[in-house]
Amino acid sequence: MDYVISILPALLSGVQMTLAVFAITLLGAIPLGMIVAVGLLYRGKNPLAVAGKGLLDGYIWLFRGTPLLLQLIFVFYGLPLVHIVFDRFSAVIFTFILNYAAYFAEIYRGGFGAIEEGQFEAASVLNLTRWQTLRYVVIPQVLKVVLPSMGNEVINLVKDSSLVYVIGLGDLLRAGEVATARDVTLVPLVLVALLYLIMTLVLTLLQRRVEKAFSYYK
Amino acid sequence: MLELKNITKKFGDQTVLAGVDVTIADQKTLAIVGPSGAGKTTLLRIIAGLTPADSGEMIWNGKATTAAKMRQAGLIGVVFQGFELFPNLTVRRNLTLAPTLQGATQAAATAQADQLLAELDLSAQADAYPFSLSGGQKQRVAIARALALKPQILLYDEPTSALDPNLRQSVADLINSVKAQGMTQVVVTHDMDFAQAVADETLTVAKLGGGEA
């Protein structure tokens, strides 16, 4: 027990990094994913719209089609070659937000597809603008539809945050590995697992609460 | 008076409307009838501006217009076959959303909504969400929502088809009571008895061809 207490401060400091990456990524990726998804909804035929849509499709393909670990390495070690330099934490946040926004955009896109055309038509005959239709009618319904899938991704994000070790940041998993290597025992990694389980349990409960909050209509 | 002249519409190779003329007289109810697949709903959607006609003219009180202009001017209201209430909004908010977004104060829109709901016997459902309503109640909310924007013409797409058959008479009574308030109405239906119960005039749309008013 004394040993557990002795390594806990280092692990909890790792938890701080994990939670910081988690929270800032969500704050950036949830709205960015929605912006991308709304952009993909646009069916304009003018060259600018077609090019914009191609760009968004390309972005999603790139970030869903390559490992997050690789993206992190490219951003931190590769971009400086073209004079774009991030500090470690900014590189993590930049990469995580772009990566998760790509996944969220695809989830939202599925959500938009689940909204019946009649809802858009009803809004249109009521003379709502496109933005008003999205803001008051469609997006609230999309958010309800995508909650279960978003919950999965959010839990993945907690675990993905352990990838920050690759560019030398200390998160929970790294703190555990350091203690394990130093003290030659698996106890720190068991504690790490427990801390991840606690975090994902809290998120699962939170997800249920949010789903319940959205259950006022069907 | 709204007139549509020589309206044509094809879907791919299939001609759905081949030169249909429609005259919608003020404060009357026009029933558009015809067999399934004859293009009744397509015609209604063209009037509502939801489906573009391939060709034809639209004349409102003697002046050439388009369905889009009619809609932007708030002249057309639509009651959809499936009602298309917004499930995430209360009944009252379904009625006040468009008016408030178009400049009405919340207080004025709410007062108007509450009055419409009272007239349609829906006051008790004002704070309910659409999923908890019966089919008949949903339809009345859909009518109230359309009326909240004070249109000149109200279009109904198959108003009886999503409802219990024994509600047919009450739907007819409702449409007649809206007409009594001076509304011009167009009712698309495949049900001839229902058409007779509500219509001042009837337009029969034949399958694969023209029709006459």
Side-chain angles (χ1 to χ4, degrees), chain A residues 26-107:
Chain A
L26 275 191
L27 280 177
I30 287 176
L32 180 63
M34 183 57 82
I35 291 167
V36 173
V38 168
L40 287 170
L41 277 185
Y42 188 69
R43 296 196 184 99
K45 293 272 185 278
N46 66 70
L48 200 68
V50 173
K53 201 169 171 304
L55 209 65
L56 293 180
D57 281 331
Y59 150 68
I60 290 176
W61 176 62
L62 182 69
F63 277 86
R64 290 203 318 157
T66 56
L68 177 54
L69 187 69
L70 201 61
Q71 294 161 17
L72 210 49
I73 292 168
F74 271 114
V75 167
F76 187 67
Y77 296 109
L79 288 183
L81 300 177
V82 290
H83 308 294
I84 301 172
V85 181
F86 288 103
D87 64 60
R88 291 175 202 281
F89 190 71
S90 303
V92 164
I93 294 303
F94 178 79
T95 315
F96 271 62
I97 287 178
L98 285 180
N99 180 281
Y100 270 82
Y103 280 93
F104 289 168
E106 279 296 291
I107 292 174

Side-chain angles (χ1 to χ4, degrees), chain A residues 119 121 124 126-127 136 217, chain B residues 45 71 85 87-88 102 129:
Chain A
Q119 292 284 297
E121 291 187 342
S124 144
L126 291 170
N127 255 336
Y136 295 100
Y217 74 89
Chain B
R45 291 176 61 85
R71 198 169 70 192
L85 302 178
N88 56 315
Q102 284 151 36
Y129 285 87

